[in-house]
Amino acid sequence: MELNDANLQSLTEFLRKTLDPDPAVRRPAEKFLESVEGNQNYPLLLLTMLEKSQDQVIRVCAAVTFKNYIKRNWRIVEDEPNKVSDADRTAIKANIVNLMLSSPEQIQKQLSDAISIIGREDFPQKWPDLLTEMVNHFRSGDFHIINGVLRTAHSLFKRYRHEFKSNELWTEIKLVLDTFALPLTELFKATIELCQTHATDVNALKVLFSSLTLISKLFYSLNFQDLPEFFEDNMETWMTNFHGLLTLDNKLLQTNDEEEAGLLELLKSQICDNAALYAQKYDEEFQPYLPRFVTAIWNLLVSTGQEVKYDLLVSNAIQFLASVCERPHYKHLFEDQNTLTSICEKVIVPNMEFRSADEEAFEDNSEEYIRRDLEGSDIDTRRRAACDLVRGLCKFFEGPVTAIFSGYVNSMLGEYAKSPGQNWKHKDAAIYLVTSLASKAQTQKHGITQANELVDLNEFFVNHILSDLKSPNVNEFPVLKADAIKYVMIFRSQLPKEQLLQAVPLLISHLQAESTVEHTYAAHALERLFTMRGPNNSTLITPAEMAPFTEQLLNNLFKALALPGSEENEYIMKAIMRSFSLLQNAIVPYIPTLIGQLTHKLLLVSKNPSKPHFNHYLFESLCLSVRITCKANSTTVSSFEEALFPVFTEILQNDVQEFLPYVFQVMSLLLEIHSNSIPSSYMALFPHLLQPVLWERTGNIPPLVRLLQAYLEKGGASIASSAADKIPGLLGVFQKLIASKANDHQGFYLINSIIEHMPAESITQYRKQIYILLFQRLQGSKTTKFIKSFLVFINLYCVKYGAIALQEMFDSIQPKMFGMVLEKIIIPEVQKVSGPVEKKICAVGITKILTECPSMMDTEYTKLWTPLLQALIGFFELPEDDSIPDDEHFIDIEDTPGYQTAFSQLAFAGKKEHDPIGDAVGNPKILLAQSLHKLSTACPGRVPSMLSTSLNADALQFLQGYLQAATVQLV
């Protein structure tokens, strides 16, 4: 694509169409942009457009498209083509910083993100001058430019907060500190001075405080891994100024908005984070400053109101206290009973109250409420911070703190009892307090695993929780109902089984509650209870115990999916999946009606997939329906196909990328249930599965390979007779997979199935070419994973076609090749093969080479006979060699760039391990003994003499054991 006006014009039109709400206009435009993004100059056209277009909407759209293009294509992945030309890479890096700094803020943010994506790959090695170019702009004095630099630096460095320690990371951070720490400190001091100069100019203050907040975030990132020498030397400057900013109050920066945090709050919140980081990690160096920070933050907490805009500040301030109070050498600051009472009264209790803002979120923004309350993403809520502070204080002062709070809990419950309608929030706070007091350790899998012995959870459940669960009106006091359900869920490992069984029917009735939070919690609680394990590792709650409630459970779960706001509720869908899994055969009578509801739901969500977890559990539930019903009666598979195929066809025709991997897995499951033939509906689809475009997407590869394996297993012969023209396409897929280090094992799965299930004559003409491709890959890049798969393939070939065919095949490619493969690959590497089926294939294959291949007995290959036998005995008796060379680091499947659908494996579509040898060989050691016996009777005297001259003593002893076990002798 040339950089010219015509291309700019046409690209502008296509970008405009991508904003069109009509899918008929939007989709083709998106497809067009996808098709041209590999062309040289495409990213430069986007940059030109965002710089020069007169239309602001197009400029922003070009910026977003450019950022997404960089996100998808910048990373260079081994084995895959480089999607951005070198010339474009150089041009982008040369221009993007200046372009970002001269753009309006909306575009600046997109380009800043793009720089950090490029920086993650290229900085510092391939983009060494990035930082110096950025630091030079600090001198400009223009804070629009300076904030652009700070924002970019923040998105570039914030990964230091969660990267694992490594020499590479240390080197990079050192380089950043050498270039960046001093200018950042100078800028910090200068900005603080400017704040004093412009103390009465509100617009100037807004820009300066944005800079101070970004500088404070950068301080956090650069100090996170370790305390850098530079910051230790300059701690006085930073901490004195941080302390000054914490105590600053400028009326001009106060906002009237009750919801949105102002600049002052955001800055103080970040400073609390920075102080907490130092108090936790560098307490020795920070000790001189700690008392004044504790005082400042305490005063801040006591004087800050309950408005939502202060939430982040208050929670970070409380988190600071929580991190200080659990360190042994700050213990003395909290020992005094009055101090503890004061903290409980002034900080913890007020911040545990259920405010009107929480009530609004509960009613109107239930998804966000659930995310924060259930999934623990409530890191920045007051309640969570107060709860953490309670836990921190309990570390050293469990007795006094429990005593103080017991008084509060009793008085709150007393207030509630006087007038439940008025005072229900008191009970809510009491339950929250008890929960935070009682929980010491928690896991996703088991809920609370360690509890405070001073709190009687069972008594509290019976006296205060059960009444809410049993209340006949499920829609009354929904917050208290949700609290009660959550109590059962998090203390499920602490409550006795009979209490849990008592709760199950009550939870089932709460699935009908109008409140989204309430019925979601009920579904989640049931799902968690159903995963609990009993003493003998079976589920704690058995299908028999669920029998009286099964119908109501299934009814209410599916009805809950129809409640407003829960049409795609992932918790309900997960509870449906878990119920199917627990109840097993008990669901069979209900499946005919339920499958219709599930497929209808699938059709609806496939129009616009937006909830990945919901969709995943929906497919899992479909798999369970198929599995459980077909296990009871395999002929029902056709009724599932009738129900599912129309929806699957639509998904395939509309190319719903997110759903294709799932559809292929469910189809594999269905096809594997058929007895040995392929229905015509599947055969019609077969050619489409070989289309190259499907194989371009990483997420499709594992499920498509499995589906092709199912085709081969059920109908290798019918493919050979009615679709022989598709065999080259099948081998083309193998060729593509084998070339990739990430997917070569999938290529072997496919070729193994072809060898095992296709009639021999149908692939005779291709066999040599298959081996040539494999040898080319071996020469090009030999990895442990490839060699292990290659060994299994050679031996499977030998088992299937015989040892003579294997030897002749190798020697036809190149004279004496068979000997080279034995000497360089099989003998030294076989010890690396893992997996019971793989080991069995190799053992049987090598046994055949030793005992059914004449050229092993009387040609130059004979010298390899004993080493091969020795290797086989070692393979039986020695531990597996799982060493991997230092220079090999496998690309994880998940590590592919961009937002391609990663492969999501369905647990309940699991494939049974397939053994191509089956019962023909029970014990390979016995087979070896019998085969050697047979060989020795064919040429008497040869085998014992070969053994006695060169097999080592240990191996000989093992071999004697095999011969005795098989009751045969060598002659």
Side-chain angles (χ1 to χ4, degrees), residues 349-363 369 383 408-409 411-417 419-433 468 477-481 483:
V349 172
N351 286 302
M352 282 204 176
E353 282 170 14
F354 194 75
R355 299 168 304 164
S356 51
D358 299 316
E359 200 172 347
E360 274 171 38
F362 184 94
E363 287 166 9
Y369 183 92
R383 279 193 146 184
Y408 278 107
V409 169
S411 77
M412 286 171 182
L413 290 170
E415 289 299 313
Y416 167 75
S419 170
Q422 294 276 183
N423 297 339
W424 61 266
K425 287 185 183 176
H426 288 287
K427 180 167 183 180
D428 167 80
I431 296 174
Y432 206 88
L433 250 178
D468 286 325
F477 301 137
V479 175
L480 292 182
K481 300 276 198 304
D483 288 341

Side-chain angles (χ1 to χ4, degrees), residues 830-841:
V830 73
Q831 206 60 37
K832 291 193 163 136
V833 173
S834 52
V837 173
E838 290 81 353
K839 287 187 148 180
K840 185 173 177 184
I841 292 170

Side-chain angles (χ1 to χ4, degrees), residues 319-356:
Q319 290 290 6
F320 167 78
L321 286 182
S323 61
V324 172
C325 75
E326 58 182 22
R327 319 274 314 172
H329 46 263
Y330 299 143
K331 192 173 141 185
H332 63 278
L333 294 173
F334 299 90
E335 264 169 343
D336 184 32
Q337 180 75 23
N338 296 334
T339 309
L340 284 176
T341 309
S342 185
I343 290 176
C344 295
E345 187 181 312
K346 293 188 175 146
V347 176
I348 292 171
V349 172
N351 286 302
M352 282 204 176
E353 282 170 14
F354 194 75
R355 299 168 304 164
S356 51

